[in-house]
Amino acid sequence: MDSKVQELLDQQVNKEFYSAYLYLDFSVYFYDNGLNGFGNWFKIQAQEEQAHAMLFLQYLQNNGVKPQLCAIDKPAVALTDVKTVLEETLKHEKYVTSLINDIYEAAHAAKDYRTMQFLDWFVKEQGEEEMNAGDLIKRYELFGSDAKGLYMLDNELGARTYSAPSLQL
Ligand code: FEO
């Protein structure tokens, strides 16, 4: 495997675990503020990120590369209010999209078509992640300022359940 592609894939394992840790921090914030449905939504989001990390790790191993596990940063987002947390989620997903694009670009430059094909799933997934984060902001803007509306939105988010990624390696 091209050394640059390998390095970026390795880093992505860490970035996905950081995403899981970040969303777990958001989840804790919501539970602490009585919004258990939002807390549930972010806890499941954290599980998804962990699954993403494992896919990158497995992909490296499948290609005979030993993953390098580095320290995961402390979540570094100030949790001031609900809207800010939701906006930070969208901002973070856009950042992750840029990381995936960077790996894609490196794989393309190295003519590493196998990695490009592996990344295709993540390109699509990032589109969904950004859409979900954007939808959450819109719905909070619409219903969040009304106590009943917020209660119903929280209930809806509480119904989210985890399903494993459709990508199998
Ligand atoms: Fe693993 Fe939310 O991107």
Side-chain angles (χ1 to χ4, degrees), residues 12 16 19 23 45 48-49 52-53 56 92-93 96 100 122 125-126 129:
Q12 197 61 27
E16 298 288 345
S19 300
Y23 292 147
Q45 196 61 32
E48 280 199 4
E49 300 302 351
H52 294 169
F56 279 99
H92 185 71
E93 286 306 325
V96 174
I100 301 287
F122 286 94
E125 174 73 6
Q126 281 312 119
E129 300 267 78

Side-chain angles (χ1 to χ4, degrees), residues 21-162:
Y21 216 36
L22 181 70
Y23 292 147
L24 200 55
D25 197 37
F26 291 3
S27 172
V28 167
Y29 165 81
F30 285 118
Y31 277 113
D32 192 47
N33 283 279
L35 290 168
N36 294 3
F38 281 78
N40 173 66
W41 197 92
F42 277 96
K43 194 164 66 180
I44 286 165
Q45 196 61 32
Q47 275 180 278
E48 280 199 4
E49 300 302 351
Q50 239 178 299
H52 294 169
M54 295 306 285
L55 284 167
F56 279 99
L57 185 122
Q58 186 67 56
Y59 180 75
L60 284 166
Q61 288 180 314
N62 286 1
N63 285 277
V65 177
K66 181 175 175 248
Q68 304 296 319
L69 301 182
C70 301
I72 301 163
D73 289 339
K74 181 176 159 57
V77 169
L79 308 174
T80 49
D81 59 88
V82 175
K83 179 106 184 278
T84 304
V85 174
L86 300 182
E87 282 169 349
E88 289 291 340
T89 303
L90 179 58
K91 195 170 129 191
H92 185 71
E93 286 306 325
K94 286 183 174 170
Y95 166 64
V96 174
T97 299
S98 77
L99 296 175
I100 301 287
N101 289 347
D102 288 348
I103 311 172
Y104 208 102
E105 212 170 285
H108 186 259
K111 291 189 177 6
D112 181 350
Y113 301 113
R114 187 189 302 158
T115 297
M116 286 163 71
Q117 198 178 51
F118 164 70
L119 290 171
D120 279 340
W121 185 87
F122 286 94
V123 171
K124 188 164 173 276
E125 174 73 6
Q126 281 312 119
E128 286 171 19
E129 300 267 78
E130 284 187 32
M131 186 182 72
N132 291 340
D135 278 356
L136 209 49
I137 294 171
K138 269 187 230 154
R139 283 195 288 158
Y140 181 73
E141 280 172 346
L142 279 170
F143 310 117
S145 57
D146 168 71
K148 271 188 204 159
L150 181 60
Y151 180 76
M152 288 179 77
L153 181 58
D154 190 58
N155 265 347
E156 188 193 317
L157 298 179
R160 184 181 185 192
T161 54
Y162 176 71

